[in-house]
Amino acid sequence: MDEIEYVWSVLGGDAALTARVARAARPEVLEARLPVRALASACVGACALAAAELAARRAAPGGVPAVRVDDGAVAAAFTSERHLRIGGREPVSFAPLSRLWRTADGWVRTHANYPHHRARLLAALGLARDTEDARAVDAVGSLLAGLPARSVEETVYAAGGAAVALRTPEEWAASEQGRAVAGRPLVERGVLDASPARTFAPVPPSAGALLPAAGLRVLDLTRVIAGPVATRTLALLGADVLRVDPPGLPELPDQHVDTGFGKRSATLDLTCDQAAFEELLGAADVVVTGYRPGSLDRFGLSPRALAARRPGLVVARLSAWGAYGPWAGRRGFDSLVQVGTGIAALEGTADRPGALPAQALDHGTGYLLAAGVLRALTEQSRHGGSRYVEVALARTAAWLSAGLAPDGASGAGRPHGVGGSAGSASADTGGTRGTGGTGGPSTMGTGSGAHRVCAAGDAGGPGASPWLRERESPLGRLRYALPPVRFEGGPTDWERAPGPWGADAARWV
């Protein structure tokens, strides 16, 4: 069973449909010790097949359209933040305090891109939140050099920050959270009630692209990368996607642009605007959430609570560590999950942890989530029922660490070389623009040589141009990576460019 066949089986799809998928392999892209290129192509391919299946379900008879997955397009999309230009400006990927640090007995990775996470990290270490970046880097490095990595992890987490100690694959597999993650499906799916079958308006072929999600309303309650990638994909396929954020918690501007294509962006305070949210929910077809498990339950946003108020809904949930086990409520990001699950050790050397050539856990999991939503919609049209889909970065990491084995068992015993010896304070270059720590460019891939992300060069080179496009937007002229989800007759670009964060009304079109 190849990787696309496996993902499609996890999604509950008809095995015969995988014959509709053709792949243009490019061995030179997304190079790593782990099979990152195969993971990326499998996640995108399964998502494209789910889109094609739904298109066939809604369009005139003629069978499921053919799907083509090009590794070049996939690699460009998985590194989209590196290709993005906003008015000619390169985006800022990682903040100065988001990086690997050497500790007294190993390494720890911090994530402080958001101002509130930066403030909590500094507070946990007894430093003032207004400490200037360069001084903060020196001070944090000096402090962490004398502390055990696991102690830093717990202290920062207790303060509401984000930090994870480096673990080997064996250490992660032996941990309670690692065991909990390994025991779950790559994509969890289920039925919440016995709602009637969904009736779609037909989507007849026309001069324009075939849009399988046309007419559907998606309420996007996600942040960072994986969740927004999923909803960005649904927007590509024709859905009306409304992203809703708390007014006091702005998204990082460049990140918002990169993942905001095809969507509208609004703010809504659920603590005092519950009626407005219920009005949105009452007309929604899909709700996608990407906050920590349980953090939205007080607003009645668990899958069962949502389905009880809006029968026939598809509820899709994303988390970093999984909605189970002792780490279920912990904050997490791709870079932290790579470090905690042993990937950084597998990709590193005896002297230093490494990194994947892209934030592949985020992007791969995002396409898995979108695929799960599309398959849930198809199954609703046949069998009815409100449905849920759940994915986790750590579960995707387990599958990757196992070499994409069908059982996806974590900690497959692959060789690794990063030790836990003490050393002097040493912060990597993850805080500078364009060299952003785990998931950053080739300078961070210490175990695998120079990472190539495009078919024949870096962003802007001749090999990158087929997968990049420029257009005007309310934010200036944008250069961006094109969507990799392609099927015969389907869309090739988003209809809508991203606009300013929170600038749209919190209502459906």
Side-chain angles (χ1 to χ4, degrees):
M1 179 184 295
D2 71 15
E3 293 85 10
I4 290 181
E5 289 174 340
Y6 170 65
V7 175
W8 190 243
S9 71
V10 170
L11 292 167
D14 178 358
L17 292 182
T18 58
R20 305 297 295 158
V21 182
R23 178 184 176 193
R26 300 180 187 272
E28 70 274 15
V29 303
L30 296 177
E31 294 174 317
R33 289 177 177 168
L34 291 170
V36 176
R37 182 175 59 255
L39 176 142
S41 292
C43 294
V44 169
C47 184
L49 184 56
E53 178 191 39
L54 182 57
R57 183 73 175 165
R58 300 188 64 186
V64 174
V67 169
R68 178 176 171 82
V69 183
D70 192 304
D71 285 355
V74 172
F78 268 56
T79 54
S80 58
E81 72 281 357
R82 283 180 242 163
H83 302 299
L84 181 68
R85 298 293 182 271
I86 306 170
R89 177 183 63 81
E90 293 184 31
V92 177
S93 296
F94 281 85
L97 295 182
S98 294
R99 61 176 66 200
L100 281 161
W101 309 87
R102 191 180 287 280
T103 65
D105 59 353
W107 296 86
V108 70
R109 172 83 198 197
T110 56
H111 194 286
N113 284 4
Y114 289 98
H116 57 292
H117 288 161
R118 180 187 188 277
R120 292 167 186 172
L121 171 64
L122 293 175
L125 299 176
L127 300 172
R129 67 172 61 196
D130 59 353
T131 304
E132 185 264 339
D133 281 339
R135 290 179 53 214
V137 168
D138 290 340
V140 171
S142 296
L143 283 169
L144 297 190
L147 298 173
R150 301 283 180 97
S151 172
V152 174
E153 174 183 280
E154 294 301 324
T155 299
V156 174
Y157 168 70
V164 173
L166 178 72
R167 287 167 173 79
T168 65
E170 294 79 10
E171 289 171 334
W172 173 250
S175 70
E176 188 176 350
Q177 188 64 30
R179 292 194 301 270
V181 167
R184 308 299 284 243
L186 181 63
V187 180
E188 299 191 48
R189 308 158 49 249
V191 180
L192 297 166
D193 60 27
S195 299
R198 178 181 290 274
T199 301
F200 286 115
V203 182
S206 65
L210 186 59
L211 301 174
L216 297 174
R217 290 170 168 170
V218 177
L219 192 53
D220 179 359
L221 307 178
T222 69
R223 293 176 68 81
V224 197
I225 297 176
V229 163
T231 52
R232 183 182 68 181
T233 302
L234 297 175
L236 168 74
L237 300 171
D240 177 13
V241 178
L242 179 64
R243 174 165 165 173
V244 176
D245 287 287
L249 199 61
E251 181 59 282
L252 301 173
D254 293 346
Q255 194 164 268
H256 166 71
V257 175
D258 186 38
T259 60
F261 284 87
K263 311 178 195 179
R264 293 178 296 120
S265 170
T267 61
L268 196 65
D269 188 345
L270 295 185
T271 61
C272 58
D273 292 331
Q274 191 68 32
F277 178 81
E278 292 300 321
E279 185 175 347
L280 290 173
L281 176 63
D285 298 286
V286 178
V287 174
V288 186
T289 68
Y291 291 78
R292 286 178 297 122
S295 63
L296 298 178
D297 288 0
R298 70 184 187 278
F299 300 114
L301 298 183
S302 68
R304 291 197 179 277
L306 287 167
R309 305 203 302 283
R310 174 64 169 160
L313 197 66
V314 173
V315 183
R317 297 203 302 175
L318 163 84
S319 62
W321 304 104
Y324 37 76
W327 283 24
R330 292 205 174 192
R331 295 168 180 83
F333 300 89
D334 184 304
S335 57
L336 301 185
V337 176
Q338 287 193 41
V339 168
T341 61
I343 287 175
L346 287 169
E347 290 290 335
T349 68
D351 300 320
R352 182 175 200 79
L356 299 178
Q359 295 188 78
L361 305 181
D362 263 332
H363 287 271
T365 306
Y367 289 109
L368 288 175
L369 189 61
V373 169
L374 295 166
R375 287 247 58 250
L377 291 166
T378 296
E379 291 185 342
Q380 277 187 331
S381 72
R382 293 172 176 151
H383 310 296
S386 300
R387 293 174 181 264
Y388 71 89
V389 181
E390 293 194 10
V391 292
L393 302 187
R395 188 60 190 83
T396 305
W399 183 45
L400 178 62
S401 297
L404 306 187
D407 62 1
S410 175
R414 296 173 61 90
H416 60 89
V418 179
S421 60
S424 59
S426 176
D428 64 45
T429 58
T432 60
R433 184 177 64 188
T435 57
T438 299
S442 59
T443 53
M444 291 304 301
T446 56
S448 308
H451 294 312
R452 299 179 67 192
V453 299
C454 289
D458 294 329
S465 58
W467 324 122
L468 303 181
R469 184 164 293 176
E470 292 192 6
R471 71 194 296 178
E472 296 298 333
S473 81
L475 302 170
R477 187 162 186 82
L478 303 180
R479 189 187 77 177
Y480 59 98
L482 287 166
V485 172
R486 301 287 181 93
F487 60 92
E488 186 177 7
T492 59
D493 198 356
W494 293 277
E495 201 170 283
R496 178 189 178 99
W501 178 85
D504 297 295
R507 62 172 180 264
W508 297 115
V509 173

